[in-house]
Amino acid sequence: MNEKKVKIREVGPRDGLQNERQWIETEDKINWINQLAETGLSYIELTSFVHPKWIPALADANEVVKGVKRNKSVSFGALVPNERGLERALQVGIDEVAVFLSASETHNRKNINKSIKETINILKPVVYQAKLADKSVRGYISTVFGCPYEGNVNVQRVIAIAQSLLELGVDEVSLGDTTGIATPNQVEAVLQELARKISLETIALHPHDTRGTALANVFAAYRLGVRTFDGATAGLGGCPYAPGASGNVATEDLVYLLEGLGAQTGIHLERLVNCGKWIQNKLKRNLPSHHLQIALASENKEGFHQ
Amino acid sequence: MNEKKVKIREVGPRDGLQNERQWIETEDKINWINQLAETGLSYIELTSFVHPKWIPALADANEVVKGVKRNKSVSFGALVPNERGLERALQVGIDEVAVFLSASETHNRKNINKSIKETINILKPVVYQAKLADKSVRGYISTVFGCPYEGNVNVQRVIAIAQSLLELGVDEVSLGDTTGIATPNQVEAVLQELARKISLETIALHPHDTRGTALANVFAAYRLGVRTFDGATAGLGGCPYAPGASGNVATEDLVYLLEGLGAQTGIHLERLVNCGKWIQNKLKRNLPSHHLQIALASENKEGFHQ
């Protein structure tokens, strides 16, 4: 194992765009994903097979997956909520499957109208079928570091859910700081407790930069041995609990930090920044990525609405 | 010594406003500073006594210092470049003096048209007179982690400059990441080398969030024992090398991180966020503070120009 090698999971096309109010044309999504695939990213989450009633912004999931140019160096994933979603995803041909649930009972119920236990039962055949089809599966756990409804989330509950996912056959568990409230000591505490039961090689961190702490949390996790991190190019994807505030950490900023720490991301930062410019231009509003704003500023463009 | 107690140096009224293109009325500056003084901050840098030809935004230094309501729990500082500036500052009555120079010869020359050695000679009588007047003196060293003209900056040069300042009588040396390029391992490397010669009790970190790494760098420095940090409320003060990109870390975000780490800042976060709202409202554009943007979003105001 190369200790300096890190895996970046690009979730911009799915997690970044899913709450987007503006409709992005399918051909634009495909064009943008094709650009992202040329930056050195090894994983791109293309879309979601959640019913379009719930995520209208990604109603063109089939067309997006079919339209993207395949590239052997990139694994293309999609989010699926249940067996029906998996079936659709497998039909159009995805490389990886992502499933999701919450560490907080209230958040899980608000999000998918099921208890955590019910959700795990729903995911069981999904993961089974996905593995039968020889797909890697990642499992997102949200509200790991706190819940907007319940407040504190017990780390033992997080560990139990992660263990359940791994027992189902999930290959990688991504710990989500859904509302961006984590600080590095909390990240350390959760990871240290988790590491007593689960190898950190199977763990990813999904940081949100809502309070500016995303890269501090990534630094803490990297130091403890986590080598997989989720980001969204341009910092796409606001926090659903605070419209206007930032959500996903920008992949560009994540790459800068990790390379600065001596890690190898394999990503061409300038190309990634160009992908950020492209999507900002499409959305016609300033996006939170620091590197994107520096690049626009140095071209004497101050972005939109400044 | 209480190991959890940290000192926050609020530099918004000086470092935040100095590059501001809009003229802020003197009474507004005073009003804002009076609000900041009620948040629990123990130090506020009010203004600069650099000649108004160079910093027109702070041309009302005398009036601001005279107008601010004094408060025994807050020390009010001002930046002075030379003996003439110190004389003006002492005449109107400041509590602390701040001097500055750069760790990079080219940056120092571009900034103040002098060599580093010449600058230290200029600062010698300034610090001497300030100490005679019984004032604390802080010394800013900029471009500690890299220079926009020279690139890498030798840490031994930083140490030598810090030692020169301390020998002159400076009480606290603030290490500036002027262009916001530092990553936490670099912060650690500089501080560890520095700590071999200089007590970290006399060291402050002045992080910039240009690339989103400010709080990661603060975390690294805090873990190594640094207990003094500079911030600007609302994240005021862009990076002069990339207009539109962020500069100073927002004091609100800094407080959130440090309190999350178990540190005691003594600052009332909500009041500080209200100070951020007030100045954003005055400047009529979105400022980079994460906490400010969350607060505005949760009021269903998405700030300006969104």
Side-chain angles (χ1 to χ4, degrees):
Chain A
M1 181 187 163
N2 177 348
E3 281 194 6
K4 293 193 173 289
K5 203 172 171 192
V6 291
K7 287 179 273 186
I8 305 280
R9 306 304 200 189
E10 171 61 38
V11 299
R14 194 275 300 171
D15 195 17
L17 292 181
Q18 70 184 8
N19 290 317
E20 194 51 53
R21 292 178 203 167
Q22 296 175 56
W23 172 250
I24 312 287
E25 294 298 336
T26 307
E27 64 184 306
D28 288 334
K29 287 176 185 154
I30 293 168
N31 185 335
W32 187 51
I33 292 164
N34 287 342
Q35 291 174 49
L36 286 169
E38 298 293 329
T39 61
L41 283 163
S42 57
Y43 174 86
I44 303 176
E45 207 158 283
L46 298 180
T47 188
S48 167
F49 287 92
V50 169
H51 195 285
K53 187 169 73 177
W54 305 114
I55 308 189
L58 303 181
D60 54 1
N62 286 351
E63 293 69 30
V64 167
V65 174
K66 283 193 276 190
V68 165
K69 191 177 157 196
R70 295 309 163 116
N71 177 336
K72 277 188 181 167
S73 59
V74 188
S75 179
F76 294 106
L79 198 73
V80 306
N82 50 32
E83 284 184 277
R84 175 76 193 105
L86 178 71
E87 203 180 300
R88 288 174 60 206
L90 292 176
Q91 263 169 11
V92 288
I94 45 92
D95 303 317
E96 287 194 44
V97 168
V99 297
F100 61 101
L101 81 172
S102 182
S104 131
E105 206 60 73
T106 315
H107 186 265
N108 201 66
R109 205 168 272 285
K110 295 241 182 196
N111 206 23
I112 44 185
N113 203 24
K114 298 271 185 296
S115 73
I116 291 172
K117 202 175 165 187
E118 286 166 336
T119 309
I120 287 172
N121 284 332
I122 290 168
L123 295 181
K124 194 171 179 174
V126 176
V127 179
Y128 182 80
Q129 295 292 338
K131 297 306 294 179
L132 264 190
D134 208 24
K135 306 297 178 192
S136 284
V137 183
R138 69 187 326 237
Y140 288 105
I141 308 180
S142 50
T143 68
V144 164
F145 303 95
C147 167
Y149 309 110
E150 295 183 14
N152 290 343
V153 169
N154 188 315
V155 62
Q156 296 309 327
R157 171 189 283 271
V158 173
I159 293 170
I161 295 172
Q163 284 178 317
S164 299
L165 289 174
L166 293 167
E167 280 162 19
L168 296 186
V170 161
D171 302 281
E172 182 175 296
V173 173
S174 175
L175 306 178
D177 181 20
T178 309
T179 52
I181 60 163
T183 48
N185 54 331
Q186 192 193 0
V187 171
E188 288 175 342
V190 168
L191 290 174
Q192 280 163 343
E193 196 61 28
L194 203 94
R196 295 169 62 179
K197 305 280 181 63
I198 297 171
S199 162
L200 292 183
E201 284 184 41
T202 64
I203 296 296
L205 185 71
H206 183 99
H208 275 198
D209 202 34
T210 321
R211 287 166 184 77
T213 58
L215 294 186
N217 293 335
V218 169
F219 171 54
Y222 179 78
R223 275 286 163 87
L224 285 182
V226 172
R227 289 293 178 270
T228 310
F229 299 94
D230 302 353
T233 292
L236 262 183
C239 173
Y241 306 100
S246 49
N248 287 304
V249 71
T251 313
E252 306 93 298
D253 299 342
L254 184 59
V255 166
Y256 181 82
L257 178 92
L258 289 167
E259 294 278 344
L261 294 176
Q264 295 160 358
T265 65
I267 293 170
H268 192 292
L269 184 54
E270 200 185 325
R271 284 191 205 160
L272 200 60
V273 170
N274 286 335
C275 292
K277 283 184 201 171
W278 195 92
I279 196 71
Q280 167 157 314
N281 202 40
K282 201 51 77 182
L283 291 170
K284 293 195 170 41
R285 68 165 197 275
N286 285 340
L287 295 172
S289 159
H290 292 81
H291 279 81
L292 175 56
Q293 297 312 322
I294 297 170
L296 292 169
S298 67
E299 292 169 8
N300 286 319
K301 294 177 196 160
E302 295 191 20
F304 291 97
H305 319 298
Q306 296 272 347
Chain B
M1 182 189 162
N2 178 347
E3 280 193 6
K4 292 193 173 290
K5 201 170 174 196
V6 291
K7 286 179 274 185
I8 305 280
R9 306 305 200 190
E10 170 61 38
V11 299
R14 194 275 302 172
D15 196 16
L17 291 181
Q18 69 184 9
N19 291 317
E20 194 50 54
R21 291 178 204 166
Q22 295 175 56
W23 172 250
I24 312 287
E25 295 298 335
T26 306
E27 62 185 308
D28 288 333
K29 288 175 185 155
I30 292 169
N31 184 335
W32 187 51
I33 293 165
N34 286 342
Q35 291 174 50
L36 286 169
E38 298 293 327
T39 61
L41 282 163
S42 58
Y43 174 86
I44 304 176
E45 206 158 286
L46 297 180
T47 187
S48 166
F49 287 92
V50 168
H51 195 285
K53 187 168 75 178
W54 306 114
I55 308 188
L58 303 182
D60 54 1
N62 285 350
E63 293 70 31
V64 167
V65 175
K66 282 193 275 190
V68 166
K69 190 177 157 196
R70 295 311 163 114
N71 176 336
K72 276 188 180 167
S73 60
V74 188
S75 178
F76 294 106
L79 198 73
V80 305
N82 51 32
E83 285 184 277
R84 176 76 192 104
L86 177 70
E87 203 179 304
R88 287 174 60 207
L90 292 178
Q91 264 169 11
V92 287
I94 44 93
D95 302 318
E96 285 195 45
V97 169
V99 297
F100 61 101
L101 82 173
S102 180
S104 131
E105 206 59 73
T106 314
H107 185 267
N108 201 64
R109 205 168 271 285
K110 294 240 184 198
N111 207 21
I112 42 183
N113 203 25
K114 298 271 185 295
S115 72
I116 291 172
K117 200 174 163 189
E118 286 166 337
T119 308
I120 288 172
N121 283 331
I122 290 167
L123 295 182
K124 193 171 179 176
V126 176
V127 179
Y128 183 79
Q129 294 293 338
K131 298 305 292 182
L132 263 189
D134 208 25
K135 305 297 176 191
S136 284
V137 182
R138 71 187 323 238
Y140 288 105
I141 307 180
S142 52
T143 69
V144 163
F145 303 95
C147 167
Y149 309 109
E150 295 182 13
N152 289 343
V153 169
N154 188 314
V155 62
Q156 296 308 327
R157 172 189 282 272
V158 173
I159 293 169
I161 295 171
Q163 285 178 316
S164 298
L165 288 175
L166 293 167
E167 280 161 20
L168 296 186
V170 162
D171 302 280
E172 182 175 295
V173 173
S174 174
L175 306 178
D177 181 19
T178 309
T179 53
I181 61 164
T183 48
N185 54 332
Q186 192 193 1
V187 170
E188 289 175 342
V190 168
L191 290 175
Q192 279 163 343
E193 196 61 28
L194 202 93
R196 296 169 63 180
K197 304 280 182 62
I198 296 171
S199 163
L200 291 183
E201 284 185 42
T202 63
I203 295 295
L205 185 71
H206 182 99
H208 275 200
D209 202 35
T210 322
R211 286 166 184 78
T213 58
L215 294 187
N217 294 335
V218 168
F219 172 53
Y222 179 78
R223 274 286 161 88
L224 285 182
V226 172
R227 289 293 177 271
T228 311
F229 299 94
D230 302 353
T233 292
L236 261 184
C239 173
Y241 307 98
S246 49
N248 288 304
V249 71
T251 312
E252 304 92 301
D253 298 343
L254 184 59
V255 166
Y256 181 82
L257 178 91
L258 289 167
E259 294 277 345
L261 294 176
Q264 296 160 358
T265 65
I267 293 170
H268 192 292
L269 184 53
E270 201 185 324
R271 284 190 206 163
L272 201 61
V273 170
N274 286 335
C275 292
K277 284 185 201 170
W278 196 91
I279 195 72
Q280 167 157 315
N281 202 41
K282 201 52 78 181
L283 291 170
K284 294 193 170 40
R285 68 166 196 275
N286 285 340
L287 296 172
S289 159
H290 292 80
H291 279 81
L292 175 58
Q293 297 312 321
I294 297 169
L296 292 168
S298 67
E299 293 168 9
N300 286 319
K301 292 177 195 163
E302 295 192 19
F304 291 96
H305 320 298
Q306 294 272 343

